[in-house]
Amino acid sequence: MNAENLKIDISKALKTLGINAENAGNSTGQNSFGSGKSIASYSPVDGALIGKVSTATQNDYNKVSQTASEAFKTFRQIPAPKRGELVRQFGEQLRILKNPLGQLVSYEMGKSLQEGLGEVQEMIDICDFAVGLSRQLHGLTMHSERPSHRMYDQYHPLGVVGIISAFNFPVAVWAWNTALAWVCGDVCIWKPSEKAPLCGVACQNIIKKVLKENNMPEGVSCLINGDFNIGAMMTNDKNVALISATGSIRMGKIVAQAVAQRLGRSLLELGGNNAIIVTPSADLEMTIVGALFGAVGTAGQRCTSTRRLIIHESVYNQVKDKLVSAYGQLRIGNPLDENNHIGPLIDKEAVAIYLSAIEKVKQQGGTMLVEGKVLHGKGYESGCYVSPSIAEVENHYEVVQNETFAPLLYLIKYAGELSNAIALQNGVVQGLSSAIMTTNMRESELFLSQAGSDCGIANVNIGTSGAEIGGAFGGEKETGGGRESGSDAWKAYMRRQTNTINYSTSLPLAQGIKFDF
């Protein structure tokens, strides 16, 4: 597909999604507004201005918060399966608009078109999951120690859920949160990344239609745009029962402290420093595929991207040589062209951080096997395209201990027992995703045991990147400890209540206490 056709497709996609040159960046569902300054969204693909989005003032935010709080009073009373029907209809609209929305995700964020479409599919999948969940918000029934008493626990809607999402998954992470929150009876306020605001406007345009057709109260789905100041308004807002924030560890610590000061709840999905352990028995062909996609997919801008390969010394050189060879065959270019493997970084600031990390590797004693650089020339005019890097390092290097959100892969050699590799893998402050490549059952079981990976996600014979909707997604340590998406992650969006019912003719008191009167 040539560049001119790509532009035509994007133009059609924007029109279909209701994206204009100037867009109201704030919405309470039915009504859109915004009196703050505008954010200009430039595509990292070609550097072109896609459109502008108005931001919110403090008064704008107050209006959104109040409207959401009022909507919750009505929305929580709607039966959960009826709320599930709302989510089902949203999922159907996403199926209809999958191609244009996937194209927008690819063009505004810079990930490959396949990944953009895949991200929209994740939205559809979580809607399907949530629809089923709407009939299964179950509690437990317990036996009481008192005769003729019944005990059980149940879950009630929590309230207003604030969602702060990152640029790298500009639509899916919002859907992970909001689909579950809606079936749980919560209403949502969403602050998209200021680096991909038009994706947020597009999603709000889609759900707006569904809300209107179902006569839902204004405020069930709210959009608010702006910089970190808007995030601060949300985290300090006592009307917001839960803040679900995705981003850096630095950001997460700020959010956690602010929310904790008002005794609110937070669900944090923060940085990753993910490793694949490659043992002597590993299938090396599978290893290379998993490591390659994990390291360069989304140009290394996933929280689950593979940052470190911890390789046994007996297969180290084989893995190294195969990887270097594979990197030489990667195609870098317009992500809307499905022939390319890697698109651009999100912006020039990300490029500068990437180049700085390469210099730190060399300064701290590492060796560059493949040294990345900024690409110039036709097709690279945005200045955001880089080639990926591979470096031989030691795990204790400062640059290795910190996440670099770019296609920079570290090779680390280990000797001896698997426990040595596990210690290296766990020897970072982040604890999101991990993997082991092995055909030895004892090694895989040790990796998954209490003495194994300390991450929230631990995989065997697949890479670190990506996750299925059905499983809870999240990490430990400074990754934040939150869980989103599948399994019982829905409980984070509800408040738990224990109930005791006395159906006898007397009232037995604790510890046998009696009143004589």
Side-chain angles (χ1 to χ4, degrees):
M1 185 179 290
N2 62 44
E4 193 60 35
N5 286 336
L6 293 174
K7 290 181 180 179
I8 292 172
D9 282 351
I10 286 299
S11 178
K12 289 180 179 179
L14 295 175
K15 184 177 181 180
T16 301
L17 297 168
I19 302 298
N20 305 306
E22 300 281 346
N23 301 273
N26 313 296
S27 170
T28 52
Q30 284 85 332
N31 297 309
S32 299
F33 58 91
S35 54
K37 65 181 182 179
S38 292
I39 296 175
S41 179
Y42 293 91
S43 172
V45 174
D46 56 14
L49 174 65
I50 311 173
K52 295 182 179 180
V53 174
S54 62
T55 62
T57 63
Q58 181 70 62
N59 288 337
D60 291 334
Y61 176 78
N62 293 342
K63 176 181 178 181
V64 169
S65 177
Q66 182 178 358
T67 304
S69 296
E70 287 299 314
F72 173 63
K73 296 175 183 178
T74 301
F75 194 61
R76 66 185 176 184
Q77 298 287 354
I78 297 172
K82 296 293 185 183
R83 300 191 298 256
E85 171 60 16
L86 182 79
V87 174
R88 186 195 68 79
Q89 293 178 31
F90 179 49
E92 288 303 308
Q93 288 300 307
L94 290 172
R95 284 180 168 88
I96 294 169
L97 297 169
K98 179 178 177 179
N99 283 336
L101 185 56
Q103 289 170 6
L104 174 60
V105 169
S106 178
Y107 190 59
E108 187 173 34
M109 185 267 150
K111 64 175 57 177
S112 71
L113 179 57
Q114 299 96 311
E115 291 180 273
L117 294 171
E119 185 169 345
V120 181
Q121 185 61 49
E122 285 191 31
M123 301 175 76
I124 295 168
D125 292 345
I126 195 64
C127 285
D128 288 349
F129 180 91
V131 172
L133 179 65
S134 68
R135 295 180 183 270
Q136 301 181 66
L137 300 174
H138 51 76
L140 296 174
T141 299
M142 296 148 287
H143 289 278
S144 173
E145 65 185 37
R146 292 167 286 191
S148 300
H149 282 62
R150 181 165 66 89
M151 291 179 63
Y152 68 94
D153 61 22
Q154 62 179 330
Y155 290 84
H156 293 300
L158 189 59
V160 179
V161 172
I163 302 165
I164 301 173
S165 62
F167 74 85
N168 60 329
F169 281 86
V171 296
V173 170
W174 167 71
W176 284 7
N177 283 273
T178 201
L180 297 189
W182 283 337
V183 297
C184 289
D186 303 321
V187 300
C188 299
I189 302 175
W190 179 25
K191 179 203 170 301
S193 169
E194 57 268 38
K195 295 185 178 184
L198 294 172
C199 285
V201 173
C203 289
Q204 187 72 347
N205 288 343
I206 296 170
I207 189 60
K208 185 186 297 185
K209 176 184 176 182
V210 177
L211 293 171
K212 185 176 181 180
E213 290 176 349
N214 287 270
N215 298 313
M216 288 293 119
E218 184 176 4
V220 171
S221 178
C222 299
L223 179 73
I224 196 87
N225 266 289
D227 59 13
F228 67 93
N229 290 302
I230 297 297
M233 293 177 196
M234 291 176 65
T235 54
N236 289 288
D237 184 357
K238 292 182 178 180
N239 288 331
V240 179
L242 170 69
I243 291 287
S244 177
T246 303
S248 68
I249 291 174
R250 182 189 63 81
M251 179 276 287
K253 289 181 177 180
I254 295 171
V255 169
Q257 183 177 11
V259 176
Q261 285 181 338
R262 59 180 178 85
L263 297 180
R265 297 192 193 184
S266 59
L267 194 168
L268 303 176
E269 299 288 357
L270 309 177
N273 198 345
N274 315 296
I276 298 176
I277 295 174
V278 184
T279 73
S281 71
D283 181 321
L284 296 190
E285 295 304 317
M286 289 175 60
T287 297
I288 298 304
V289 172
L292 189 64
F293 175 71
V296 306
T298 325
Q301 296 173 116
R302 291 186 176 209
C303 52
T304 56
S305 290
T306 303
R307 308 293 178 199
R308 298 174 295 147
L309 276 188
I310 301 172
I311 311 165
H312 192 269
E313 60 182 0
S314 64
V315 293
Y316 183 87
N317 287 334
Q318 289 176 267
V319 174
K320 177 177 70 173
D321 292 344
K322 286 178 179 289
L323 271 175
V324 171
S325 176
Y327 269 52
Q329 300 172 52
L330 293 171
R331 293 186 296 273
I332 305 168
N334 191 319
L336 290 163
D337 184 342
E338 296 185 39
N339 291 314
N340 292 322
H341 298 118
I342 307 173
L345 293 177
I346 185 64
D347 54 25
K348 291 181 180 179
E349 180 183 1
V351 173
I353 291 172
Y354 175 50
L355 296 178
S356 175
I358 292 172
E359 291 305 310
K360 289 178 181 178
V361 168
K362 293 186 284 188
Q363 292 168 7
Q364 293 170 22
T367 301
M368 300 303 303
L369 299 175
V370 178
E371 184 166 348
K373 61 182 179 180
V374 181
L375 303 179
H376 301 284
K378 186 176 181 181
Y380 302 134
E381 290 85 358
S382 69
C384 298
Y385 290 88
V386 298
S387 57
S389 298
I390 303 175
E392 291 183 302
V393 298
E394 297 291 337
N395 200 58
H396 65 269
Y397 291 174
E398 183 269 339
V399 68
V400 177
Q401 290 287 309
N402 292 286
E403 181 183 37
T404 298
F405 225 54
L408 175 52
L409 178 64
Y410 300 121
L411 304 190
I412 300 166
K413 186 185 297 184
Y414 83 94
E417 300 298 322
L418 176 59
S419 57
N420 297 331
I422 292 173
L424 290 171
Q425 186 227 270
N426 294 346
V428 294
V429 298
Q430 307 88 349
L432 180 53
S433 187
S434 59
I436 187 171
M437 292 295 183
T438 180
T439 56
N440 183 312
M441 184 182 71
R442 291 177 176 175
E443 289 180 336
S444 65
E445 290 297 326
L446 175 60
F447 179 73
L448 299 175
S449 74
Q450 297 91 330
S453 169
D454 64 2
C455 296
I457 299 169
N459 299 326
V460 176
N461 290 329
I462 62 172
T464 64
S465 187
E468 290 189 36
I469 288 300
F473 179 88
E476 299 301 321
K477 302 190 292 189
E478 292 194 8
T479 297
R483 293 297 186 274
E484 295 173 334
S485 191
S487 186
D488 65 349
W490 60 271
K491 292 179 180 179
Y493 305 89
M494 305 197 82
R495 60 181 177 88
R496 186 172 185 168
Q497 185 181 79
T498 300
N499 306 119
T500 305
I501 299 171
N502 176 6
Y503 57 93
S504 73
T505 58
S506 62
L507 181 58
L509 302 177
Q511 288 82 46
I513 295 174
K514 296 182 179 180
F515 289 98
D516 296 319
F517 53 83

